[in-house]
Amino acid sequence: MKILVTGGLGFIGSHTCVELLNANYEVVIIDNLSNSSIDVLDKIEEITSKKPKFYEIDVCDKEKVSVVFKENKIDAVIHFAGYKAVGESVSEPLKYYRNNLDSTLTLLEVMKEENCHNFVFSSSATVYGSPKELPIKEDFPLSTTNPYGTTKLMIERILADVSKADKDLSIIVLRYFNPIGAHKSGLIGEKPNGIPNNLMPYIVRVANKELPILSVFGNDYDTPDGTGVRDYIHVVDLAKGHIKALEKCVNFKGIEYYNLGTGTGYSVLDLVNTFEKVNNVEVPYKIVDRRPGDIAACYADPTKAYKELGFKAEYGIEDMCRDSYNFILKNKESHNN
Ligand code: UD1
C-alpha cells in the first residue's frame, strides 16, 4: 500500500514514516519545511534503510498536490501538516484558520478527484476543552479554548459531513494526548523553533543548560501535587497507533474517533523528577502563576483504541524522559538555534 504522509518530516510525522516503512508500506511525503528540516529525510533513511519519496510543496497548493496523486497511486492519506502553536494561534488566528482548514479541504478535494478513500487525521485532546470528568472518553462533549484547537474541531466537523455525503470514505480521527520522547536511535525527535512552549522541550533545554530555569505554571491546581496533570505518550507508541488506524481504515466505511494516550496522568513535577532521575541531571525550576487557558488535568480512557484498533502504549514515562534527552545529546550542535 502507498501512503501519502503530509507533514512527514515533522515530529510525529517522521516517527510515523519510520513505523510505516518498517511495516513495509510505501511512503510518499509532502512537507513545506515550514517547521521541519530536510535532514530528517536522510535520518528516516538511516533508520529504516529505505528512502521515502519526497515532495517539498505546500498542501494548500491544489495543483501540486494533484500532481503528487497523479504520479503515485495513493491508497491512503495520513494528514499531519498544520500549525500547532497554541499561543501563536491566539495572536494570529487567521493564519491558523487559513492554513489548517485550507490544507485539509485541498486534500479532501484531490482525494475525491483521484478516487482515494482512506484518510487518517491528526487531531488532539484539545477538542475536549475543559473536561468535566476523567478519564476522557471519545463521546465526551467537545469544545475548545484557542484558535489552534478550534481548527482541529472544525476539521473534525468537516470530516463528519464529508463522511455522511460520501459513503465510500473511511476516515479515522486520532485525538493525541501529549506526545514526547524520541526515536531510540536519537536521529529524529522534537526540534521546536526558538523558545519551546511545551513542557518536555523546555525541560530538555534546561537540562542541557541552554535555558536557565523551568517555570512551572501553577502549583495550586486540584491535583495530587498541585501542578498540571497530563497523559504523556511516547511518540513511537503514537506513531504505531497510526499503523493500527490504517489497518482499521481499509476494513470499514464511515468515520471513527480514537484517543491515543496511555490512560495515566503525570504531573509537571512527576515529569521533572523522573527526568532528573533517569538522566542523572538537574532541572532547576521555579513555581510561577498559572498559564492562561491551561486545565488542571487531562488523561485518556484508552479502552476504545485498545478494543477496536488493538492499540496499547508500551513505553513508560522513564523511557519518554530518557529518549527525549538522548535526542538532544545526540543533536547538540544543530540544536542551538
Ligand atoms: C498543548 C495544547 C495541545 C497540544 C500540545 C502539544 C491546549 C490546551 N493544549 O498541550 O492541544 O496538542 O500542547 O503541542 O491546546 N508547563 C509548565 N511549564 C512550561 C510548559 C508547560 O509548567 O514551561 C505545564 C503546563 O501548565 C501543563 C503541562 O506542563 O500543565 C503540559 O504543558 P504542554 O506541554 O504545553 O502541553 P498542553 O498544554 O497539555
Side-chain angles (χ1 to χ4, degrees):
M1 264 181 91
K2 199 173 268 191
I3 315 299
L4 176 66
V5 183
T6 75
L9 299 185
F11 176 45
I12 306 172
S14 59
H15 287 83
T16 302
C17 288
V18 165
E19 296 307 319
L20 286 167
L21 291 164
N22 284 343
N24 288 322
Y25 287 94
E26 284 182 79
V27 174
V28 177
I29 296 175
I30 294 182
D31 199 305
N32 67 359
L33 305 180
S34 68
N35 193 21
S36 59
S37 152
I38 189 66
D39 310 347
V40 174
L41 193 60
D42 297 331
K43 310 280 184 188
I44 292 172
E45 189 182 358
E46 210 176 319
I47 296 169
T48 62
S49 305
K50 292 176 190 168
K51 197 176 181 72
K53 201 162 173 183
F54 174 64
Y55 292 84
E56 185 183 338
I57 61 175
D58 196 306
V59 195
C60 297
D61 188 332
K62 189 169 176 192
E63 268 173 42
K64 291 187 178 157
V65 174
S66 292
V67 171
V68 175
F69 276 78
K70 291 198 192 308
E71 289 183 356
N72 304 276
K73 170 84 198 72
I74 302 293
D75 297 295
V77 175
I78 308 183
H79 180 34
F80 292 105
Y83 295 146
K84 58 169 191 178
V86 173
E88 187 188 45
S89 81
V90 175
S91 53
E92 296 191 63
L94 290 177
K95 175 175 164 180
Y96 275 68
Y97 288 116
R98 166 64 71 196
N99 182 68
N100 291 4
L101 297 180
D102 210 356
S103 56
T104 311
L105 293 170
T106 303
L107 268 178
L108 292 168
E109 282 173 1
V110 177
M111 283 175 64
K112 191 173 168 71
E113 286 162 17
E114 302 294 330
N115 280 315
C116 176
H117 303 303
N118 300 305
F119 191 73
V120 177
F121 178 61
S122 209
S123 190
S124 163
T126 193
V127 300
Y128 295 114
S130 192
K132 301 265 172 301
E133 249 183 278
L134 290 167
I136 298 172
K137 292 188 174 57
E138 286 82 351
D139 59 2
F140 275 22
L142 305 177
S143 68
T144 57
T145 52
N146 58 71
Y148 154 75
T150 309
T151 67
K152 292 291 181 194
L153 186 51
M154 288 170 89
I155 293 168
E156 288 202 8
R157 302 274 197 237
I158 291 168
L159 292 173
D161 289 341
V162 170
S163 154
K164 254 186 232 149
D166 182 349
K167 301 290 178 216
D168 287 331
L169 277 175
S170 311
I171 301 175
I172 304 279
V173 173
L174 299 176
R175 294 178 179 150
Y176 311 147
F177 282 69
N178 289 55
I180 58 172
H183 193 265
K184 276 215 161 352
S185 62
L187 291 169
I188 54 173
E190 189 169 18
K191 243 186 213 184
N193 289 328
I195 309 269
N197 298 306
N198 298 117
L199 181 58
M200 183 55 99
Y202 209 104
I203 290 179
V204 292
R205 290 219 185 166
V206 172
N208 203 25
K209 301 198 167 23
E210 292 172 50
L211 290 168
I213 192 162
L214 170 73
S215 294
V216 173
F217 299 141
N219 67 350
D220 55 354
Y221 285 108
D222 184 15
T223 59
D225 66 18
T227 66
V229 166
R230 296 291 182 273
D231 185 340
Y232 297 97
I233 175 167
H234 197 296
V235 65
V236 171
D237 274 331
L238 195 74
K240 288 178 177 163
H242 293 74
I243 311 291
K244 300 284 188 191
L246 269 182
E247 289 165 1
K248 163 94 187 179
C249 220
V250 295
N251 288 314
F252 102 118
K253 297 283 175 217
I255 182 162
E256 274 298 348
Y257 307 82
Y258 296 100
N259 287 340
L260 291 186
T262 65
T264 306
Y266 288 99
S267 73
V268 175
L269 294 183
D270 287 335
L271 203 64
V272 170
N273 292 335
T274 309
F275 191 96
E276 289 186 320
K277 190 181 83 198
V278 300
N279 294 313
N280 198 21
V281 281
E282 272 181 41
V283 180
Y285 68 85
K286 60 178 180 202
I287 308 292
V288 301
D289 287 347
R290 292 181 177 192
R291 182 171 64 177
D294 273 353
I295 57 176
C298 170
Y299 51 90
D301 182 336
T303 312
K304 186 178 175 198
Y306 181 60
K307 279 196 179 144
E308 296 183 19
L309 301 180
F311 171 76
K312 192 171 184 300
E314 304 287 342
Y315 292 105
I317 197 77
E318 300 196 345
D319 304 304
M320 301 181 213
C321 288
R322 191 195 54 232
D323 294 342
S324 288
Y325 196 48
N326 178 46
F327 173 69
I328 288 312
L329 294 179
K330 289 234 161 89
N331 294 272
K332 257 189 168 171
E333 299 77 38
S334 60
H335 192 257
N336 288 324
N337 55 18

